[in-house]
Amino acid sequence: MISSRFLTATLVLFCLQPLRATAASIEDFSGYKAGEVFMPGEVFPAKGTGWLDGWRSANSYVQVTGSFVTTKPLVDAGPYLAVSIDSIVGEHPSNPSGTVTLPYRPPTKPFKLIFKFRPETSVQTVRYYLFDNDVRIAGPGPLASWLITSKDGQWQLLNGEGNGVPSEMIATGLPVVAGTTYSFAVEVNPQARTWNVTITDGKRSVTEKNLYFRNTAYTPDRCLVFGANETSAPALGLNMRFAIDSISIQP
């Protein structure tokens, strides 16, 4: 017969064991000071929880500057990330581009990624892209999983190859307007290699489901990538700007 003393000791030891739960990754920029800046080649420590490393930029014939500011907040008062991408007239024949990136380790089970994004430059001269990639990169690459971009004045989504169907861009009909804050909710299924997304602008909302990854080679360490490039050739020497806030990954 097992003694009551043994049972009590076992229960105590069990309760002292750490809980094995996967916490959410959150970056709401509340830990940053207004005026802090990171430049190319620098890694700015992520103040949120759950990230593999800090913020960095990736550059292709541009200068990328990330600034933490409090003016014109996307949500409530407090710092957010304002990004400025500057190209040089004629320096590159086409599409100079830049991004800011944040590395993370995604859950192995389906999860939801939420963030707010505000384009600040007209889409007549700039293309914005938001995506998940295997490494830090200056523009969309073949190893991205999900990809959202501005094209023809609206948000469009990449539906990758699946079930023998070739990849395609899907127009959402939701306009991309400079100065408007958009809320994104991306539901990712790493096992099925599929994703859903809902985009809202405060007045309208669009949802697309059962989209396929661009590439099924889904590595265990990923990068969130937010960027822009010129749509003109040769380069016009534009100042391309956007803002990001309230990033979270819910397991």
Side-chain angles (χ1 to χ4, degrees):
M1 179 180 294
I2 301 176
S3 69
S4 60
R5 180 178 299 177
F6 176 82
L7 287 173
T8 302
T10 302
L11 288 171
V12 169
L13 286 173
F14 176 79
C15 292
L16 290 175
Q17 296 298 313
L19 295 176
R20 298 193 175 185
T22 303
S25 299
I26 299 173
E27 177 66 286
D28 60 6
F29 302 102
S30 60
Y32 298 83
K33 295 180 180 178
E36 291 182 317
V37 173
F38 66 91
M39 305 287 284
E42 298 178 340
V43 181
F44 201 94
K47 300 295 178 67
T49 58
W51 308 102
L52 291 179
D53 204 345
W55 287 95
R56 293 188 67 182
S57 66
N59 317 274
S60 176
Y61 296 91
V62 295
Q63 168 84 17
V64 180
T65 304
S67 305
F68 301 98
V69 299
T70 55
T71 56
K72 294 178 60 180
L74 281 71
V75 282
D76 299 324
Y80 61 91
L81 178 56
V83 179
S84 178
I85 302 174
D86 297 289
S87 65
I88 299 175
V89 177
E91 183 169 314
H92 192 261
S94 64
N95 305 129
S97 60
T99 64
V100 291
T101 66
L102 185 62
Y104 74 106
R105 182 166 292 134
T108 56
K109 296 182 179 180
F111 64 94
K112 180 180 287 188
L113 168 66
I114 299 172
F115 59 90
K116 293 186 182 296
F117 182 90
R118 183 173 68 206
E120 305 283 20
T121 308
S122 171
V123 292
Q124 292 181 351
T125 53
V126 172
R127 178 179 69 144
Y128 296 98
Y129 35 78
L130 326 169
F131 62 101
D132 171 274
N133 203 65
D134 64 330
V135 294
R136 183 170 59 93
I137 191 171
L143 294 179
S145 55
W146 55 267
L147 168 65
I148 303 167
T149 185
S150 62
K151 185 179 180 182
D152 299 328
Q154 61 184 300
W155 290 114
Q156 298 202 24
L157 317 170
L158 178 64
N159 186 18
E161 296 182 9
N163 292 337
V165 178
S167 62
E168 62 175 342
M169 294 301 299
I170 296 178
T172 65
L174 185 64
V176 182
V177 180
T180 298
T181 297
Y182 296 88
S183 297
F184 293 83
V186 181
E187 299 176 0
V188 181
N189 189 328
Q191 298 165 331
R193 304 296 199 262
T194 59
W195 61 293
N196 308 328
V197 62
T198 296
I199 311 172
T200 63
D201 64 2
K203 297 179 180 179
R204 297 177 55 192
S205 178
V206 295
T207 298
E208 289 287 344
K209 294 185 176 181
N210 300 317
L211 304 173
Y212 289 98
F213 282 6
R214 179 174 188 176
N215 193 298
T216 58
Y218 193 70
T219 55
D221 291 349
R222 310 293 299 173
C223 277
L224 296 180
V225 186
F226 306 90
N229 71 273
E230 287 195 27
T231 58
S232 300
L236 298 176
L238 299 179
N239 171 237
M240 300 171 276
R241 296 174 293 113
F242 58 85
I244 313 166
D245 201 358
S246 306
I247 305 170
S248 68
I249 296 176
Q250 306 292 335

